[in-house]
Amino acid sequence: MKSYEVNFDGLVGPTHNYGGLSYGNVASQSNSQQSSNPKEAALQGLAKMKALMDMGFQQGVLAPQERPDVAALRRLGFSGTDAQVIERAAKEAMPLLVASCSASSMWVANAATVSPSADTADGRVHFTAANLNCKYHRSIEHPTTSRVLGAMFANQQHFAHHAALPAVVQFGDEGAANHTRFCREYGEAGVEFFVFGRSAFDNRFPAPQKYPARQTLEASQAVARLHGLRDEGVVYAQQNPNVIDQGVFHNDVIAVGNGEVLFYHEDAFLETDKMLAELQGKLAKVGGNFQSVCVPRSAVTVDDAVRSYLFNSQLLSRPDGSMLLIVPQECQANERVWAYLQSLTSSGGLIREVKVFDLKQSMQNGGGPACLRLRVALNETELAAVNPGVIMTAPLYGSLTAWVEKHYRDRLSETDLADPQLLLECRTALDELTQILKLGAVYPFQIN
Ligand code: SUG
């Protein structure tokens, strides 16, 4: 049976703004308080989806969340009408209002961890929504994420959904941003690679000194158990705490994998040789030939990687077996990174082509091409069971761009977030979106 990797990209929501909310994420910190352009952000994301679809890749779309999150503000003690809740929060606790307005659900690599059916004990595709427990503005995403994923993958025979792990720091889980899967074919059993930043219960593992390690070993292990993965199909590795302290807040800022290939920076991991040997051995057991491409620090520094997001690229398999790398334009702007990419694609290896995208609006909050997509490997039967409303087509692209043009502002600054009108605009837009994507009622304002 045919199988595919389907990229579901997060559609940027109408409140996209630069709140400076993510300590440890260099871009989020350095662009704090700048005014944003939500319309441009959404169109940049849609252009990437369209381009991948036009290149023949399977592409889907994942809906943004309801923001401002009035229900979250109510849980923090703000009361009255929805407009009063927003006005009071603006007056008494602006940082909480900013957090409740974040469009961070666009970075759907953090929405969930997904295991394809070929890896799981019950032969279903498993999803565990990420608790994103490290940052308040992201910790409020998972209930809606679960409802949206449930509406997209609504067939119990093929899809199993797990609620987010307990919302405490010991089980900090950032979803697919710290998870990669290696395989020969997407529909065949593979090796799932979980990368953690620290251990919550075992102090033999070193931890970063400056910035938080968002993903714990214990969270990764819990997800592997929930999904029914075999020990022989799982490899755990620790992220180098020194690179977390340099701004590598997720593993997908320093490594990306696809098929049988891991593309990574020399400083990405601890005990790299042991990890590579385990990946090689376990992939060989399912008939795969593991290959790694290490980018030396002499060619690209960790700082270059953080600024350019070289590794936050999408590594895609083409029908002839070669691979294509989708990178943000910041890679072209960095001389060393661009020179490295030229040498990589001309070296006769598997990665033959680089395509550059302008995702500046998202990049300025630390989200590159890979952050914006959730990969779901599906066989033909499973793909047919996905809600067809969320699969990208030329008409859907047309509807979504028209929807963005109609509803989105082209400038948003912190003071705009206090405008109750923004809430009404967002709800009107999202109500229409659920009809376009045929999701049913998934937002709190549609349910309560
Ligand atoms: O969680 N930025 C996101 C970026 C997530 C990128 N995702 C992956 N690497 N997979 C984060 O730090 C910034 C929001 C603000 O500051 O307004 C933010 O949440």
Side-chain angles (χ1 to χ4, degrees), residues 139-207:
S139 71
I140 57 180
E141 290 174 27
H142 69 85
T144 298
T145 301
S146 290
R147 277 194 301 275
V148 173
L149 289 174
M152 295 166 68
F153 302 94
N155 181 315
Q156 288 192 9
Q157 192 194 333
H158 296 297
F159 307 122
H161 295 276
H162 305 279
L165 298 177
V168 290
V169 286
Q170 285 97 330
F171 292 105
D173 179 19
E174 300 279 319
N178 292 305
H179 173 258
T180 303
R181 176 175 184 260
F182 299 102
C183 60
R184 201 167 55 169
E185 294 287 336
Y186 295 118
E188 292 179 5
V191 176
E192 300 203 14
F193 180 47
F194 290 85
V195 181
F196 58 94
R198 68 188 177 92
S199 165
F201 297 107
D202 187 341
N203 57 18
R204 283 172 305 178
F205 293 94

Side-chain angles (χ1 to χ4, degrees), residues 404-431:
V404 169
E405 293 287 357
K406 177 173 159 200
H407 295 284
Y408 280 49
R409 299 190 186 188
D410 59 11
R411 191 175 189 284
L412 209 59
S413 59
E414 198 179 273
T415 47
D416 299 315
L417 304 178
D419 173 8
Q421 182 58 33
L422 183 65
L423 174 68
L424 297 180
E425 280 172 34
C426 292
R427 286 181 174 172
T428 306
L430 293 182
D431 211 31

Side-chain angles (χ1 to χ4, degrees), residues 102-431:
S102 177
S104 54
S105 67
M106 73 177 86
W107 300 298
V108 294
N110 306 117
T113 306
V114 186
S115 295
S117 57
D119 294 351
T120 63
D122 67 2
R124 294 190 291 169
V125 183
H126 282 247
F127 299 82
T128 296
N131 62 25
L132 299 175
N133 200 62
C134 182
K135 307 283 175 218
Y136 171 68
H137 71 288
R138 303 222 60 186
S139 71
I140 57 180
E141 290 174 27
H142 69 85
T144 298
T145 301
S146 290
R147 277 194 301 275
V148 173
L149 289 174
M152 295 166 68
F153 302 94
N155 181 315
Q156 288 192 9
Q157 192 194 333
H158 296 297
F159 307 122
H161 295 276
H162 305 279
L165 298 177
V168 290
V169 286
Q170 285 97 330
F171 292 105
D173 179 19
E174 300 279 319
N178 292 305
H179 173 258
T180 303
R181 176 175 184 260
F182 299 102
C183 60
R184 201 167 55 169
E185 294 287 336
Y186 295 118
E188 292 179 5
V191 176
E192 300 203 14
F193 180 47
F194 290 85
V195 181
F196 58 94
R198 68 188 177 92
S199 165
F201 297 107
D202 187 341
N203 57 18
R204 283 172 305 178
F205 293 94
Q209 300 298 305
K210 188 176 168 197
Y211 291 145
R214 298 193 195 185
Q215 179 85 30
T216 68
L217 168 62
E218 291 77 6
S220 299
Q221 289 169 328
V223 172
R225 269 191 301 270
L226 285 165
H227 291 194
L229 305 180
R230 303 164 300 122
D231 286 346
E232 277 308 290
V234 175
V235 172
Y236 298 99
Q238 183 169 9
Q239 229 187 319
N240 178 352
N242 292 331
V243 301
I244 296 180
D245 280 340
Q246 292 173 71
V248 181
F249 57 97
H250 287 139
N251 180 58
D252 69 4
V253 176
I254 197 125
V256 59
N258 171 47
E260 297 171 307
V261 178
L262 172 65
F263 178 59
Y264 71 102
H265 189 274
E266 184 177 3
D267 293 327
F269 306 103
L270 291 183
E271 301 194 69
T272 309
D273 291 341
K274 186 168 153 251
M275 172 199 95
L276 294 174
E278 196 180 347
L279 284 169
Q280 197 271 331
K282 288 187 169 172
L283 194 59
K285 288 206 178 118
V286 285
N289 172 26
F290 179 72
Q291 297 160 59
S292 58
V293 180
C294 174
V295 180
R297 66 179 85 88
S298 57
V300 172
T301 64
V302 172
D303 188 56
D304 288 328
V306 170
R307 284 173 197 282
S308 68
Y309 263 39
L310 166 63
F311 298 94
N312 201 262
S313 46
Q314 287 179 253
L315 188 55
L316 300 170
S317 298
R318 301 197 287 197
D320 68 357
S322 71
M323 289 193 185
L324 161 71
L325 205 58
I326 303 288
V327 302
Q329 66 180 17
E330 285 72 6
C331 287
Q332 206 165 16
N334 180 308
E335 241 172 71
R336 277 182 299 277
V337 169
W338 195 242
Y340 174 79
L341 283 172
Q342 300 310 306
S343 66
L344 176 71
T345 48
S346 56
S347 66
L350 260 183
I351 305 174
R352 306 262 166 81
E353 196 189 349
V354 170
K355 278 205 187 296
V356 179
F357 282 82
D358 177 3
L359 296 163
K360 188 162 181 240
Q361 286 289 326
S362 166
M363 283 289 289
Q364 292 189 144
N365 251 340
C371 300
L372 287 163
R373 59 93 174 99
L374 181 67
R375 297 186 281 189
V376 185
L378 298 168
N379 64 35
E380 257 174 328
T381 316
E382 291 154 356
L383 181 56
V386 176
N387 178 343
V390 299
I391 301 296
M392 188 56 82
T393 58
L396 179 60
Y397 172 75
S399 307
L400 290 174
T401 44
W403 173 82
V404 169
E405 293 287 357
K406 177 173 159 200
H407 295 284
Y408 280 49
R409 299 190 186 188
D410 59 11
R411 191 175 189 284
L412 209 59
S413 59
E414 198 179 273
T415 47
D416 299 315
L417 304 178
D419 173 8
Q421 182 58 33
L422 183 65
L423 174 68
L424 297 180
E425 280 172 34
C426 292
R427 286 181 174 172
T428 306
L430 293 182
D431 211 31

Side-chain angles (χ1 to χ4, degrees), residues 11-87:
L11 185 55
V12 178
T15 59
H16 159 63
N17 73 96
Y18 300 115
L21 298 170
S22 280
Y23 179 65
N25 168 343
V26 177
S28 154
Q29 296 288 279
S30 51
N31 294 304
S32 175
Q33 312 295 317
Q34 275 193 36
S35 71
S36 62
N37 185 336
K39 184 178 281 184
E40 187 176 53
L43 294 176
Q44 286 174 344
L46 280 165
K48 172 165 91 74
M49 298 183 221
K50 169 82 162 47
L52 263 67
M53 178 189 74
D54 288 345
M55 283 186 254
F57 296 104
Q58 295 284 345
Q59 181 68 52
V61 58
L62 221 152
Q65 304 215 346
E66 178 188 342
R67 295 289 180 273
D69 189 335
V70 177
L73 289 170
R74 288 188 189 281
R75 284 198 297 278
L76 298 176
F78 300 99
S79 58
T81 62
D82 288 347
Q84 284 166 341
V85 166
I86 290 171
E87 278 156 9

